[in-house]
């Protein structure tokens, strides 16, 4: 019997009742790294390894920690042998969110109750591969199965966006797939307004930035871009605090986004204030979502929001959900507690996958369960009345409606 029960991570009566109201809501995945080409071409996965481990540096990182040779992670070993090494790693992940994510994926997409380990790996491999032969397990089918209403991909400024245009013409595929503008701050140049117009014409309404320092040059470039986004009515996302590509040898061998990044600890408060204030003084501050990879800055962001709210927009400046190393129970709860303590959790736009995987939509379920459990604890501890009508409205807002209204989807 699976440990993924109906009451998984729901520790009180109120949480269980509240989760029933949000569990079937559509998903708005407003930040991810999935391939629009794979969606447009309705990619067929060749086996369980490609679906579960292809490009997933979260899993690669833990396999390395478990002593798996790189040949069985990103190298030339047979896919089944790689899957077996992943299966051997899985039982060692006590307390790691990957254990929960993987088993949610197995349960929701393949109705597999067995836990993944060396002994069950072959049976699970065969069952997944048999499913992957069916059309409903191609990329578009997995998205439909996940009840995803909108996907915002992450796209380089010079992308042709040809696959986004192709997706719009696919009969029977109703999920809205829109680009999000992701420039490298070291390469800002004079033709960016043209590129922004091109993206806008192709449905883009969001940008995204990796902010890995707060030096004067970064501040100047962000102020320039923020103003351009405000002119077009876009939402601006700032992902702050990653220290990337730490392992030079592996970066030279495998490239970026392969599992060698970590949390940075540079100071952000003063620089962030300068950016937001410079735009606000011109009345050119767009809707903004601020994410931090370092939990030490939760209260920096949580208090910064209140300085620049207004303009008749509910939650104009957002504290983004627990990101990357923080999209686990402790990280998500810490982010939501900080937001509740310092601002307004009820106006939060909720979860995103930030993923390259087409079965990672279960992270929205994980988030919804954690949100309902946290809310239920507050209620049952006597810190908020058991007004289920209001609680339902708040939870449904955080899980779906706030994002839908915020992004005008």
């Amino acid at each position: 019997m699976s440990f993924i029960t109906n009451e998984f991570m729901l520790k009180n009566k109120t949480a269980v009742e509240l989760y029933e109201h949000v569990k079937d809501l559509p998903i708005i995945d407003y930040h991810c790294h999935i391939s629009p080409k794979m969606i447009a071409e309705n990619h067929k996965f060749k086996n369980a390894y490609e679906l579960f481990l292809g490009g997933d540096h979260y899993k690669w990182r833990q396999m390395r920690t478990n002593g798996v040779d790189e040949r069985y992670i990103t190298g030339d070993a047979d896919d089944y042998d790689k899957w077996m090494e992943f299966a051997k790693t899985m039982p060692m992940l006590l307390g790691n969110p990957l254990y929960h994510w993987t088993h949610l994926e197995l349960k929701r997409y393949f109705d597999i109750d067995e836990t993944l380990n060396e002994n069950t790996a072959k049976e699970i491999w065969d069952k997944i591969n048999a499913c992957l032969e069916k059309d409903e397990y191609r990329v578009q089918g997995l998205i439909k199965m996940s009840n995803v209403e909108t996907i915002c991909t992450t796209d380089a400024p010079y992308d042709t966006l040809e696959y986004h245009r192709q997706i719009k013409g696919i009969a029977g595929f109703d999920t809205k797939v829109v680009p999000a503008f992701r420039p490298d701050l070291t390469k800002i140049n004079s033709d960016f307004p043209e590129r922004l117009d091109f993206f806008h014409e192709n449905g883009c309404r969001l940008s995204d930035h990796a902010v890995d320092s707060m030096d004067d040059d970064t501040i100047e470039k962000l102020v320039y871009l923020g103003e351009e986004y405000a002119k077009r009515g876009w939402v601006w996302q700032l992902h702050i605090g990653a220290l990337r590509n730490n392992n030079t040898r592996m970066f030279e061998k495998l490239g970026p986004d392969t599992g060698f990044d970590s949390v940075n600890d540079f100071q952000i408060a003063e620089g962030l204030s300068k950016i937001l204030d410079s735009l606000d003084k011109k009345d050119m501050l767009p809707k903004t979502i601020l994410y931090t990879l370092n939990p030490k800055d939760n209260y920096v962001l949580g208090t910064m929001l209140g300085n620049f709210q207004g303009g008749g927009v509910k939650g104009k400046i957002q504290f983004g959900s627990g990101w990357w190393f923080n999209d686990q129970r402790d990280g998500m709860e810490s982010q939501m507690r900080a937001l509740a303590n310092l601002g307004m959790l009820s106006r939060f736009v909720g979860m995103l996958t930030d993923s390259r995987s087409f079965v990672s939509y279960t992270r929205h379920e994980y988030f919804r369960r954690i949100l309902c459990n946290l809310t239920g604890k507050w209620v049952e501890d006597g810190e908020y009345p058991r007004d289920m009508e209001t609680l339902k409205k708040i939870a449904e807002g955080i899980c779906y409606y706030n994002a839908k209204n915020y992004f005008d989807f």
Side-chain angles (χ1 to χ4, degrees):
M1 181 178 176
S2 175
F3 73 99
I4 306 292
T5 65
N6 290 337
E7 296 184 3
F8 176 61
M9 301 195 82
L10 304 174
K11 308 299 183 185
N12 55 75
K13 179 181 176 182
T14 304
V16 172
E17 184 175 346
L18 202 54
Y19 181 66
E20 286 300 309
H21 293 295
V22 302
K23 66 184 181 69
D24 295 323
L25 289 171
I27 287 172
I28 294 176
D29 198 24
Y30 57 89
H31 175 71
C32 70
H33 298 277
I34 61 174
S35 163
K37 180 176 187 290
M38 292 174 74
I39 301 174
E41 297 177 350
N42 200 16
H43 179 79
K44 180 179 179 179
F45 294 94
K46 64 179 180 177
N47 56 41
Y49 167 79
E50 184 190 10
L51 178 63
F52 277 79
L53 286 129
D56 194 335
H57 56 79
Y58 285 83
K59 293 168 183 169
W60 297 349
R61 189 176 174 100
Q62 300 311 324
M63 290 171 73
R64 291 175 186 126
T65 302
N66 200 40
V68 177
D69 187 273
E70 195 67 30
R71 180 169 177 261
Y72 295 94
I73 303 172
T74 60
D76 61 359
D78 179 79
D79 284 355
Y80 176 73
D81 293 336
K82 292 179 179 179
W83 172 259
M84 183 59 74
E85 292 300 329
F86 175 55
K88 292 176 183 176
T89 298
M90 188 54 51
M92 300 295 103
L93 293 174
L94 173 66
N96 190 294
L98 273 176
Y99 194 83
H100 290 164
W101 296 345
T102 300
H103 288 96
L104 281 168
E105 291 163 4
L106 291 172
K107 175 68 174 174
R108 297 295 174 243
Y109 294 101
F110 302 99
D111 197 28
I112 292 173
D113 288 322
E114 293 81 8
T115 54
L116 180 59
N117 56 54
E118 184 176 4
N119 296 324
T120 62
K122 178 64 166 62
E123 178 186 356
I124 292 175
W125 168 267
D126 289 341
K127 186 167 185 177
I128 292 172
N129 289 348
C131 289
L132 294 179
E133 288 300 314
K134 303 172 185 177
D135 282 347
E136 58 262 41
Y137 282 89
R138 296 169 81 110
V139 160
Q140 293 171 21
L142 289 170
I143 292 171
K144 290 178 186 178
M145 203 182 299
S146 306
N147 195 22
V148 184
E149 182 177 287
T150 305
I151 295 170
C152 298
T153 58
T154 302
D155 307 279
Y158 295 95
D159 195 294
T160 64
L161 304 183
E162 60 185 292
Y163 296 112
H164 293 84
R165 290 192 291 277
Q166 287 181 30
I167 292 166
K168 287 181 181 179
I170 297 173
F173 182 68
D174 299 325
T175 301
K176 185 175 184 177
V177 181
V178 297
F181 191 73
R182 172 69 176 253
D184 182 336
L185 290 177
T186 65
K187 299 177 181 177
I188 305 299
N189 57 42
S190 60
D191 68 348
F192 263 42
E194 295 175 19
R195 297 307 302 169
L196 289 167
D197 290 340
F198 173 73
F199 267 67
H200 193 87
E201 290 162 7
N202 282 276
C204 179
R205 297 296 182 269
L206 293 90
S207 70
D208 174 53
H209 297 277
V211 182
D212 299 336
S213 71
M214 280 289 180
D215 57 30
D216 290 342
D217 183 58
T218 297
I219 292 170
E220 181 181 351
K221 288 174 177 175
L222 286 172
V223 169
Y224 162 71
L225 287 169
E227 191 168 340
E228 292 294 325
Y229 302 144
K231 291 176 185 176
R232 294 164 176 81
W234 287 15
V235 175
W236 195 25
Q237 300 177 90
L238 301 181
H239 283 86
I240 305 169
L243 188 62
R244 302 173 192 271
N245 306 318
N246 294 270
N247 188 320
T248 301
R249 178 177 59 84
M250 295 305 290
F251 175 74
E252 290 174 349
K253 181 178 179 180
L254 300 176
D257 305 319
T258 52
F260 299 96
D261 308 314
S262 56
V263 175
N264 207 335
D265 61 355
F266 63 93
Q267 300 301 307
I268 71 169
E270 187 174 356
L272 183 58
S273 177
K274 286 180 181 178
I275 293 165
L276 300 179
D277 189 49
S278 295
L279 291 163
D280 188 69
K281 282 189 293 186
K282 302 175 184 179
D283 197 22
M284 294 295 285
L285 178 60
K287 292 179 185 176
T288 303
I289 306 177
L290 304 172
Y291 307 82
T292 178
L293 198 56
N294 195 326
K296 80 174 177 63
D297 292 322
N298 281 357
Y299 272 52
V300 173
L301 298 193
T303 53
M304 190 66 70
L305 308 178
N307 299 329
F308 300 101
Q309 302 287 19
V313 180
K314 295 174 181 177
K316 177 180 178 179
I317 314 300
Q318 288 278 327
F319 183 5
S321 64
W323 166 47
W324 199 343
F325 296 116
N326 297 315
D327 60 357
Q328 26 75 12
R329 181 177 55 196
D330 291 351
M332 287 191 278
E333 285 189 352
S334 294
Q335 180 268 343
M336 287 190 280
R337 287 179 186 276
L339 179 54
N341 279 328
L342 304 168
M344 196 171 287
L345 178 62
S346 61
R347 296 304 180 194
F348 177 34
V349 294
M351 186 57 174
L352 50 111
T353 62
D354 189 33
S355 174
R356 291 167 172 79
S357 169
F358 287 94
V359 290
S360 65
Y361 297 111
T362 52
R363 294 186 193 178
H364 284 263
E365 175 183 342
Y366 200 56
F367 168 82
R368 291 172 181 183
R369 289 178 178 274
I370 290 166
L371 167 69
C372 290
N373 189 67
L374 180 61
T375 303
K377 185 177 188 306
W378 285 332
V379 170
E380 301 206 0
D381 285 350
E383 298 176 16
Y384 191 91
R386 199 173 190 279
D387 174 1
M388 291 307 296
E389 193 59 37
T390 301
L391 290 166
K392 172 189 169 186
K393 184 177 180 181
I394 290 172
E396 288 178 342
I398 295 168
C399 293
Y400 172 67
Y401 290 104
N402 290 351
K404 188 175 180 71
N405 293 329
Y406 188 79
F407 298 108
D408 296 325
F409 291 145

